[in-house]
Amino acid sequence: MENSQMKCLSLEQFGQPLAFKQVDIPQPGQGEVLIKVEASPINPSDLLFLAGKYATLGFVPPYIPGFEGSGLVIKSGGGQEADYLLNKRVAFFRCRGAYAQYTISNSQTCLIIDDDITFNQAASSFINPLTVVGMLETVKEAKVKTVVHSAAASALGRMMVRYFKNNGIEVINIVRRQDQVEILKKEGATIILNQNDQDFYPQLKKLTTDLNAKIFFDAIAGSFTGEILSQMPNNSTAYVYGLLSGENSSVSPTELIFRDQSVKGFSLNTWLQSITPELKRQSLEKLQKLIKTDLKSEISKEYPLQDGQQAIEYYSKNMSSGKVLIKPQY
Ligand SMILES: NC(=O)c1ccc[n+]([C@@H]2O[C@H](COP(=O)([O-])OP(=O)(O)OC[C@H]3O[C@@H](n4cnc5c(N)ncnc54)[C@H](OP(=O)(O)O)[C@@H]3O)[C@@H](O)[C@H]2O)c1
């Protein structure tokens, strides 16, 4: 590698457009690898991060955004696992900023990808797929057979439809538009409710009662959390895992006190920290196996790095059309 500098997108101030700039190429430490980034998706978590909603987690600008992606490992910082990854094509997450020509990731958060998987296909291999795998484990542990899911036409929602169905779990999918109903039908979903239909709440209540659906995965939060929970059987749990509404979840105390409903958070990071090394290994194996089928993402558009801000704006307005990728090597 001749250059010591690379191009990147930089968040200089929360809520401000990204700057396209040149910085030093980071150097991997022990157990880490340097990756030449080929593709990185924009996820809702990136939008929250850019808006400053993750500031409480200790992120301080200037910062290179992008939490996951795919690329080629070109340098090891030392250690058996990192050395093994040298010259391998990988998907990665928890990196030091994927919206850049190069990034650093821990060798343990890299997954070698098969030769027949493109960098574009591999770019979203971690965050959504692993979250869906974790959700299924949570459902199995609770011995529940049917779950409710909001914002179900998301990339994650489409994976859930395929993966849960193939594991014998029924999903009551909630969307907000008719075109999203059609998207999910194509994925093989059998129960799809439009939250803007007049009879949405009675329909939901009947289904959750008939199917004893006691788990709700909520990507929206706000008042929706409590509104859906109020239609579910006693002793149901809402796992809030996204905040697409940008509002705090609210639930009537009556639901909590007299019907034993509960609200918990669900996060990929917390789930990964809570599981055994064996389950983690099995989950990563599932990812590798299912990334072209159950756990795949559709890609709607790709942008070169210098047009990253345009990519963010396009994605914010077209979330249901598929993943938007940033391509740092264009
Ligand atoms: N907790 C975790 O560890 C974790 C991990 C992975 C993902 N997530 C969360 O999973 C969710 C889905 O992620 P993704 O990458 O699959 O998203 P995505 O593909 O970008 O899709 C987002 C979907 O949400 C819908 N949406 C946006 N705002 C909404 C609102 N206020 N009410 C109803 N629907 C709304 C969009 O529909 P429109 O087209 O109608 O806007 C779109 O269908 C996000 O909330 C993300 O933060 C959480």
Side-chain angles (χ1 to χ4, degrees), residues 44 128 131 154-156 176-177 180 241 266 268 315 320 323:
N128 283 338
T131 303
S154 66
L156 184 150
R176 62 175 171 181
R177 289 195 314 270
Q180 295 170 329
Y241 76 98
F266 185 91
L268 172 59
Y315 168 68
S320 295
K323 282 291 156 203

Side-chain angles (χ1 to χ4, degrees), residues 106-121:
N106 192 292
S107 58
Q108 293 187 350
T109 50
C110 290
L111 196 64
I112 294 173
I113 52 176
D114 291 344
D115 289 343
D116 63 340
I117 297 182
T118 63
F119 282 123
N120 280 9
Q121 284 170 326

Side-chain angles (χ1 to χ4, degrees), residues 162 187 283 312 324:
R162 300 184 287 253
E187 297 291 358
S283 302
I312 303 268
V324 173

Side-chain angles (χ1 to χ4, degrees), residues 44-55:
S45 52
D46 293 301
L47 301 187
L48 292 169
F49 168 67
L50 299 178
K53 302 230 165 100
Y54 280 177

